[in-house]
Amino acid sequence: MIKTGIIGGAGYTAGELIRLLINHPDVEIVFVNSNSNAGNKITSVHAGLYGETDMRFSHNIPLNEIDLLFCCTAHGDTRKFMESHVLPEKLKVIDLSTDYRLASPDHQFVYGLPEANRRATCAARYTANPGCFATCIQLAVLPLAKHLMLTNDVHVHAITGSTGAGVKPSETSHFSWRNDNISIYKPFAHQHLDEIKQGLAKLQQSFQSEIWFVPVRGNFSRGIFATVYTKCMVGLDELLKIYEEYYADHSFTFIADKSPDLKQVINTNKCLLHLQKKEDMLLITSVIDNLLKGASGQAVHNMNLMFNLEETVGLHLKPSAF
């Protein structure tokens, strides 16, 4: 059994992670840390876990008792934790924050997007889980980068659910503001752009085009619906073959024969992609669940790779029938 611990246990991603891990046949959760909730039942925060667990939040972080630590901490806090603690030599870490996603000689974290970096993740001690937007957008264009086809600017319009803003209430996540509403934020300047460009340049070193990304706040709770378009002279039939070939040995990304909708991926670890062309313009639709494929589901996928398990274990999740 893989003995795991979680820090930052009160947020949305931690709640989804706990749900996945308590149903994972090869995992035991040793502790879920939350200083502000220490001593309280996990279900006092993550009420959807009633009947699933009687665990309580812990103030302690017994690193010597676990094989793997998940960091569901606020951005900046994982780095503080890593710098203030001496980690056991064999302890592995998966960080769900932004702190270590960009490659640097200052750290040993591997960027954990399995569809781009599976082999390195299998050998990693420390893995940086990708951002939700970064996952959705990269999956849309990775096959193009592999075949050196990203030679023009890439335009992205992506709408995300309110859980993407985290569990802490804010002006733009308040129900009365978010419901029946839509708005853009951080146009052309979103924090995930750097990791997207990093991932694409790793496959296509010549990639120097701009990514014009407009993020949108949606009036739903979870999921990301992205439309990505760029000029491409290759025919649609050939492009479909390239995409099918790229994702043939990946377990969670599928090429759909018609434009997908968000409900097809909610509560799953899937990404659905759909390609269509008009003259020389290629449009790719990419949809994921931001809390699963965009966060906790991908973290479990990375755990499976790091511990040499079959990569789909614990992730056979199905969407609602409606």
Side-chain angles (χ1 to χ4, degrees):
M1 296 292 282
I2 303 168
K3 295 186 176 181
T4 64
I6 299 170
I7 60 173
Y12 288 134
T13 57
E16 288 293 274
L17 183 60
I18 296 165
R19 178 171 71 92
L20 295 174
L21 295 181
I22 60 180
N23 290 290
H24 195 295
D26 299 297
V27 170
E28 174 189 347
I29 303 176
V30 175
F31 66 84
V32 178
N33 168 262
S34 172
N35 290 336
S36 59
N37 292 281
N40 297 332
K41 283 190 173 183
I42 286 174
T43 51
S44 68
V45 173
H46 304 302
L49 295 176
Y50 272 109
E52 301 289 330
T53 181
D54 291 323
M55 289 185 66
R56 294 179 179 271
F57 289 107
S58 169
H59 178 75
N60 298 320
I61 307 175
L63 298 177
N64 288 315
E65 297 179 14
I66 60 173
D67 305 303
L68 172 65
L69 178 68
F70 289 98
C71 300
C72 297
T73 41
H75 303 314
D77 286 353
T78 300
R79 185 177 291 273
K80 293 176 184 176
F81 180 89
M82 296 289 290
E83 292 175 351
S84 61
H85 289 75
V86 177
L87 274 59
E89 184 177 350
K90 294 184 178 181
L91 179 66
K92 296 184 179 184
V93 176
I94 296 177
D95 178 29
L96 282 78
S97 80
T98 63
D99 293 9
Y100 294 104
R101 291 173 185 165
L102 299 182
S104 169
D106 296 333
H107 67 77
Q108 301 175 353
F109 278 78
V110 167
Y111 186 68
L113 182 62
E115 291 82 358
N117 232 6
R118 178 194 273 154
R119 184 173 298 180
T121 303
C122 288
R125 179 185 175 192
Y126 299 151
T127 296
N129 222 54
C132 52
F133 273 132
T135 295
C136 193
I137 295 166
Q138 285 181 89
L139 292 177
V141 293
L142 284 176
L144 299 178
K146 181 181 179 181
H147 288 266
L148 311 182
M149 292 180 179
L150 287 177
T151 56
N152 293 281
D153 287 0
V154 178
H155 300 264
V156 183
H157 177 276
I159 184 168
T160 185
S162 59
T163 52
V167 71
K168 188 175 181 180
S170 68
E171 179 183 353
T172 56
S173 62
H174 194 284
F175 177 81
S176 60
W177 186 90
R178 192 100 179 197
N179 189 49
D180 298 325
N181 200 7
I182 192 168
S183 65
I184 67 170
Y185 68 107
K186 300 181 181 177
F188 311 137
H190 195 275
Q191 64 269 18
H192 290 182
L193 275 170
D194 288 340
E195 62 179 285
I196 295 169
K197 292 177 181 178
Q198 171 185 262
L200 298 181
K202 188 173 181 180
L203 284 178
Q204 181 179 330
Q205 293 182 5
S206 62
F207 177 70
Q208 295 181 338
S209 301
E210 290 294 336
I211 300 175
W212 300 105
F213 174 31
V214 179
V216 183
R217 301 181 184 96
N219 64 345
F220 49 92
S221 60
R222 60 194 295 165
I224 294 176
F225 188 101
T227 49
V228 182
Y229 59 98
T230 186
K231 288 186 177 180
C232 181
M233 302 303 294
V234 179
L236 182 59
D237 288 344
E238 184 176 347
L239 286 168
L240 287 170
K241 290 179 182 178
I242 287 170
Y243 272 71
E244 292 282 6
E245 178 183 319
Y246 186 97
Y247 290 115
D249 63 344
H250 291 285
S251 301
F252 297 107
T253 301
F254 304 93
I255 313 305
D257 57 7
K258 62 180 181 179
S259 185
D261 57 66
L262 204 54
K263 283 190 175 182
Q264 290 174 257
V265 298
I266 296 305
N267 295 318
T268 80
N269 199 51
K270 297 176 185 178
C271 173
L272 293 186
L273 301 173
H274 179 257
L275 282 64
Q276 58 191 98
K277 286 201 73 180
K278 184 173 179 61
E279 298 177 357
D280 62 350
M281 188 64 69
L282 170 64
L283 171 65
I284 308 121
T285 303
S286 179
V287 291
I288 66 169
D289 185 315
N290 62 298
L291 293 180
L292 289 171
K293 184 59 177 167
S296 304
Q298 188 150 244
V300 171
H301 186 176
N302 283 325
M303 176 193 71
N304 289 342
L305 294 175
M306 293 166 72
F307 285 88
N308 198 31
L309 300 176
E310 202 283 317
E311 66 180 357
T312 66
V313 175
L315 290 169
H316 294 286
L317 309 169
K318 297 180 180 180
S320 168
F322 301 100

